[in-house]
Amino acid sequence: MAKTVEKYKVFDLELSGTSQGNPFQDVQLTADFSNGIQKLTVKGFYKDQGKYGIRFMPQAEGNWTYETHSSDPQLDGQTGEFLCTPAAAGNHGRVCLKKDVLPKKEVNFYVTEDEFHFAYEDGTRFQPFGTTCYAWVNQSEQVQEQTLETLKNAPFNKIRMCIFPKFYTYNTTDPERYAFQGNAKDGFDFSRFDNVFFENLEKRIQQLDELGIEADIILLHPYDRWGFSKMTKEQDIFYLSYAARRLSHFKNIWWSMANEYDLMPQKTVEDWDTYARVVMENDPYGHLRSIHNCVPLFDHNRSWITHVSVQRVDVYKTAEMVTDWRNQYRKPVIVDEVGYEGNIDFGWGCLTAQELTRRFWEGCMRGGYLSHGETYVDQGDQIWWAHGGTLHGESTARIAFLKEQMAQLPDDIQPLTLTPENHEENWDSVCLHDGESYFLYYYGFFRPLYRNYTLPAGKKYKIELIDTWNMTTEELPEVYEGKIRIKMGARQYMAVRMKEVK
Amino acid sequence: MAKTVEKYKVFDLELSGTSQGNPFQDVQLTADFSNGIQKLTVKGFYKDQGKYGIRFMPQAEGNWTYETHSSDPQLDGQTGEFLCTPAAAGNHGRVCLKKDVLPKKEVNFYVTEDEFHFAYEDGTRFQPFGTTCYAWVNQSEQVQEQTLETLKNAPFNKIRMCIFPKFYTYNTTDPERYAFQGNAKDGFDFSRFDNVFFENLEKRIQQLDELGIEADIILLHPYDRWGFSKMTKEQDIFYLSYAARRLSHFKNIWWSMANEYDLMPQKTVEDWDTYARVVMENDPYGHLRSIHNCVPLFDHNRSWITHVSVQRVDVYKTAEMVTDWRNQYRKPVIVDEVGYEGNIDFGWGCLTAQELTRRFWEGCMRGGYLSHGETYVDQGDQIWWAHGGTLHGESTARIAFLKEQMAQLPDDIQPLTLTPENHEENWDSVCLHDGESYFLYYYGFFRPLYRNYTLPAGKKYKIELIDTWNMTTEELPEVYEGKIRIKMGARQYMAVRMKEVK
């Protein structure tokens, strides 16, 4: 009986070959996988002690065969087969751009809206609600386990995380292991990877997948004292090729080319284009790709960028920029740094939970997505944003509540565009709607005693008041039509949901 | 013994002439005032029942003589004299542009900063902290008195107020009297003014002056059902000329050509230029002049505009725009509508006291000024922003506290400009400073546990923590120098003041 592999999971082949010289550099290894219809070439990678890996994520059920090709005769010409079985419940494959997954709709109001959203490759909606633990895989075993335990009980379904450790305020200790062989004292061999580090990284990505969390892997970043941010272009390419070959079989991988690319001025825009191509050449599945700014935004119009992963630039106007960024790039927008809840001394990390929650609502109501982070510096040694560990804030529960509300959105919905006709009722609010049967309004820091609405003629609606901070929804007893006034109680952070009664 | 008039107060001449025809239109009346050095021609105005007025504000001590000229023989050729005595304590004359009043300094760091500020004509600093009661003089006698009583105990030293009544939500009743003769039912005679209305208006402006409050008179505005916003150009000019002739002797008058000029599309930009010239021709003292927007800003570079009276345009980024507006227009910036504390259903008027207070601090720290307003719709019939009456909010006390802090600023101070060198410590805060001996930082909605500072080398400082919401100042016991860390207690709305110890 043939080996079986669940769709979107991994066929993991380990082969033995030479350990002479530097197999990371010297040995070429690929395998052609075919199911008779589709053929993919997957690149292998060296692990350690003569062991090589080839890992394949099948995206179609049925029988698959493979044959290896290698410069090492020991690894060459190996063949085999396996049966790909249906995806189990909850296994939806990779996250993709919605427009690439769902059948094209007729040209109407909503076609362009699909450009701004994600879906799993089986068509299931995916709305990212991310968090940030840059260096969690570089912490102690105990802290890593604690992070996973925290994530298990949190609403987040994406995590921004680095491969390289982080050197920065509150991040000054050396990790136990690095992606490269070597150490901080004696230096690193940028031509040899540390198999133990990668095995742990793989274990963590796998555990994230089991929690339904996408691993938004940051490949390069500037917060460094070990030299990983200042490798040569050749070394960067060598590393990026290896990381993509070794990790791309995970269905829950996203590639973030860099955190704060602009703080690595030694790399040019053309370098980033080259690096993205290297990742794409070594990732046969086409995982999502982005690049993240500190201040100036990268040109997100570039074709290799699947979605906008942006850090807010203005100190005051943050998630409100989602509308502009959508219009500018016509791609999904994730405000991956919109500021963090906490009390660190930097303005990016001393927001109240109310303000971070408000930014989340504001961004989602504009058809964007956001990532959370926490930077309490007086709650023990671990600070979530960098180390993981435990969460202390009040925004996490509100983000869970928001996620529930967003999950209820009908599919054909989009942010209200202001027009001269609707301006008077809508200039000071944000609204998601389908034009007739569903309206969700949000009022942010405003606290009106009531609001007036002109409902679409000839239709009746049920209305719910949503207190986004206190996490309550209250369905009003009446059925509404025409021009109405809804009492909102002079509370901040309110939303109003209207659904047509047919 | 000659009649005496205190400097900057009024020499009020009433003359009797014809009451035939329409004296408002038919009779020309001027008086030349001279003290032997200076000669001013002051235009008169018709009151009622054959009574005419000429009012003159002397700006120099000593003997003044006058002679009238008129098309009416009864009014022509009258002469007289009076003695102008020194200004009493607290009487500083008109508010002017600081650069027009104070001797020019040497060209240095601070010369341009003077462009952005005000001073009384005797050189005394004037920092406007305004409020808004658009139609308070159109309310009942009792409410007008209540408004004055409220103002007596409030920190405001400028008030935005209209001559014409206001028609708008919560503003639907007819006033007892109007600037013009007539009534809402039978219509108005736009060629005849109501003397009783103007006498009350004058009494109120005088009472404001006694409270040290500048009357920022809004001459035209769009919130109208009586026709005052849709008069012909000739009628507008006739009205503006009369208002300027009748009111410009008040030292505490400012002219706001319009509230929300852009909501009166029947008037062109050239009309406003003409209207401003009409006011200037009938105001021999050159009171401050502005024009206020709803959405698009007027071109505040125009030479007749003394200062920028702006309504915030963006819903989210409000007082933060002061920096840009200063740079754009090189004139004092008053955010005369930055949003109001209250709970009305419109986003411009349902801010928390915390948010309005934050906007005040933010704007002042950027070298601008702001006006307050209150729009609680569940606190009785009067809403402060339109009717006056009483105040209910929590921002007024905080604005008083802010005003006290701003009054303590040394004269040679300006907002910190971000440079590559100071960016890291200052990108997320605003700071007023003199470069060496005085620094005032403000952190708005951020709540850092502490902040780090690099103090100027070789100097020592005392430091105060200012809680702008709780209105406390706490002087820290130490004397600081070099690189320091100040604990701020993870509170929002904090400021830090540093003064050099010599």
Side-chain angles (χ1 to χ4, degrees), chain B residues 156-172:
Chain B
F156 308 116
N157 58 16
K158 180 173 94 69
I159 186 167
R160 299 184 69 228
M161 54 185 279
C162 302
I163 292 180
F164 294 132
K166 183 182 173 95
F167 176 66
Y168 189 71
T169 308
Y170 294 106
N171 289 265
T172 54

Side-chain angles (χ1 to χ4, degrees), chain B residues 150-205:
Chain B
T150 303
L151 288 170
K152 191 183 294 180
N153 300 304
F156 308 116
N157 58 16
K158 180 173 94 69
I159 186 167
R160 299 184 69 228
M161 54 185 279
C162 302
I163 292 180
F164 294 132
K166 183 182 173 95
F167 176 66
Y168 189 71
T169 308
Y170 294 106
N171 289 265
T172 54
T173 54
D174 285 327
E176 282 177 40
R177 302 198 80 103
Y178 302 83
F180 290 106
Q181 294 179 26
N183 59 61
K185 184 159 165 275
D186 305 317
F188 296 93
D189 181 348
F190 293 139
S191 73
R192 292 175 192 270
F193 299 95
D194 184 327
N195 191 53
V196 175
F197 172 86
F198 270 93
E199 284 183 344
N200 181 66
L201 176 61
E202 289 158 350
K203 175 176 141 190
R204 298 315 184 188
I205 294 171

Side-chain angles (χ1 to χ4, degrees), chain A residues 170 314 316-317 347 362 428, chain B residues 314 316-317 347 362 428 450:
Chain A
Y170 294 106
D314 194 274
Y316 304 91
K317 204 169 170 182
E362 187 78 35
D428 55 354
Chain B
D314 194 275
Y316 305 91
K317 203 170 170 181
E362 187 77 34
D428 54 355
Y450 64 85

